[in-house]
Amino acid sequence: MADSYVPFEYRALLLIDLGLWCWGLNIQLLNKAGIDVPTLFGFEKHENKVHGVVYRIALAFSLITLAFLSLFCSLLRIIVSPIRSEPSFGDVILADILTSFAKVFAGIYFTFCAFFTASNSDAISSDYLHHSLELLIIGPLITSLPFLFRFRQCISEYLASEGTGYKALANAVKYASAFPVIFLSALIHSPSQEASHMVTIWLLTVLFNSLYSFYWDVVMDWGLSVSCSPEKKSGMIVLRHILLYREPVYYISILVDFFLRTTWSLKLSENLKSEDLISGGFLLEAAEILRRWLWVYFRVEKEWIGFGFNGLHSNDSLDRVEEQEIHLITHERAHLPQ
């Protein structure tokens, strides 16, 4: 059946879109037949053709529908793709972006819970947010889902490499390190738990997650590392042999990433006041989205450099960017005057 090929969530959008195109065609053909549809319907005459306006609305709606359909297919691949299939670069980027929206998804759930269960505005208080079942169990589960999806991608990449992709396993550790941060903080908020001995463990997990994620951002995802420039006698420190942006941009971005990585790890937890979840938490979530926006520039830059040098696709090029840079630096050193 054709229905099985159309996602249920998008059938309404597709049918509305079809109706808009048909309505535009109705008006156009009626006008060709000499029927002034706007006048007949009591609309004021306009210089622009009415069917053209309807077509533009239908086109915009079609583009929005296609964008959502593409997003749905990508999410489906991220969640239920075969475990031994290597994820595409686009799916990896999307899954990483979803991790930055982890608290947003949980916030949407809390908003609906508060809207449908709260009898007054006082219900959104510490008693509701800090001791409710939603915050202690369901909230952490929703927050951890994007990290679980990205963790699964790393395992898939490792299995697809037939046991040779140890870099993927190391990357999986980064996403797995978010789980203790999320769930230990939920235990700290449990009324039946003595939080004093849990806080130290929680802080250690936050520290590990922050520093490891920062290291992976800069060294692995962006391909930046510290080395001495052989062509300059001053021994100037360079981040990468090939830079597509101005060099100060990289240093500033590294500092921004470090600062926002540490604050975001705190935000991953529920170890904040209820007021922070509603007001101050918004600023941290917005900052994390901006950090991810910054991260995309350098992540895609590294992929493009690897693609340009090797003519390969996605993950094949990632493992050889460093090899190309070492080769170029060695070549330059060989031609330096002794």
Side-chain angles (χ1 to χ4, degrees), residues 302-314 317-318 321:
K302 180 190 174 183
E303 183 72 12
W304 177 250
I305 291 173
F307 182 86
F309 271 98
N310 299 288
L312 300 174
H313 291 286
S314 67
S317 61
L318 293 179
V321 174

Side-chain angles (χ1 to χ4, degrees), residues 292-308:
R292 182 62 64 182
W293 165 79
L294 185 69
W295 175 90
V296 167
Y297 280 108
F298 302 103
R299 180 65 181 87
V300 174
E301 178 204 25
K302 180 190 174 183
E303 183 72 12
W304 177 250
I305 291 173
F307 182 86

Side-chain angles (χ1 to χ4, degrees), residues 57-313:
I57 295 174
L59 178 60
F61 199 87
S62 297
L63 294 176
I64 294 173
T65 302
L66 289 175
F68 276 103
L69 187 60
S70 176
L71 179 62
F72 175 82
C73 294
S74 297
L75 291 175
L76 201 61
R77 287 196 304 270
I78 291 173
I79 298 172
V80 298
S81 61
I83 191 63
R84 289 184 175 272
S85 64
E86 187 172 359
S88 67
F89 179 66
D91 288 346
V92 168
I93 292 294
L94 177 59
D96 271 317
I97 291 174
L98 291 178
T99 61
S100 294
F101 283 83
K103 290 297 297 183
V104 176
F105 300 141
I108 292 173
Y109 175 78
F110 291 144
T111 300
F112 275 100
C113 287
F115 182 79
F116 289 108
T117 63
S119 58
N120 53 66
S121 59
D122 294 334
I124 308 179
S125 61
S126 58
D127 289 336
Y128 177 78
L129 288 174
H130 282 259
H131 302 296
S132 64
L133 176 67
E134 288 82 1
L135 185 67
L136 296 176
I137 299 178
I138 302 178
L141 286 175
I142 296 176
T143 304
S144 63
L145 281 179
F147 297 94
L148 180 62
F149 298 151
R150 188 66 185 93
F151 175 83
R152 184 182 184 275
Q153 282 186 333
C154 294
I155 299 301
S156 296
E157 185 179 346
Y158 172 74
L159 294 177
S161 68
E162 298 181 352
T164 60
Y166 294 104
K167 181 179 177 181
L169 284 182
N171 198 13
V173 172
K174 181 187 72 173
Y175 296 102
S177 68
F179 300 142
V181 176
I182 297 170
F183 288 99
L184 281 177
S185 59
L187 291 176
I188 291 174
H189 278 86
S190 175
S192 61
Q193 293 286 336
E194 292 293 336
S196 58
H197 66 283
M198 300 290 295
V199 173
T200 302
I201 301 176
W202 172 78
L203 287 175
L204 290 175
T205 61
V206 169
L207 182 64
F208 177 81
N209 176 263
S210 300
L211 296 181
Y212 192 32
S213 298
F214 169 71
Y215 165 80
W216 199 274
D217 283 346
V218 176
V219 178
M220 298 299 182
D221 287 343
W222 297 354
L224 303 177
S225 59
V226 177
S227 61
C228 292
S229 176
E231 68 273 11
K232 297 185 180 181
K233 295 181 179 180
S234 61
M236 180 180 178
I237 299 299
V238 295
L239 297 173
R240 197 199 298 134
H241 188 76
I242 302 170
L243 300 176
L244 301 185
Y245 313 124
R246 294 180 181 272
E247 190 168 339
V249 173
Y250 295 89
Y251 293 108
I252 295 173
S253 299
I254 289 173
L255 292 176
V256 171
D257 187 78
F258 175 77
F259 175 74
L260 294 181
R261 267 299 186 185
T262 53
T263 55
W264 177 240
S265 292
L266 291 174
K267 182 55 188 168
L268 274 180
S269 71
E270 309 299 338
N271 200 17
L272 294 169
K273 296 179 180 179
S274 58
E275 293 81 4
D276 293 334
L277 287 171
I278 301 172
S279 57
F282 170 78
L283 297 178
L284 289 177
E285 291 168 8
E288 166 59 16
I289 293 174
L290 292 176
R291 187 202 67 81
R292 182 62 64 182
W293 165 79
L294 185 69
W295 175 90
V296 167
Y297 280 108
F298 302 103
R299 180 65 181 87
V300 174
E301 178 204 25
K302 180 190 174 183
E303 183 72 12
W304 177 250
I305 291 173
F307 182 86
F309 271 98
N310 299 288
L312 300 174
H313 291 286

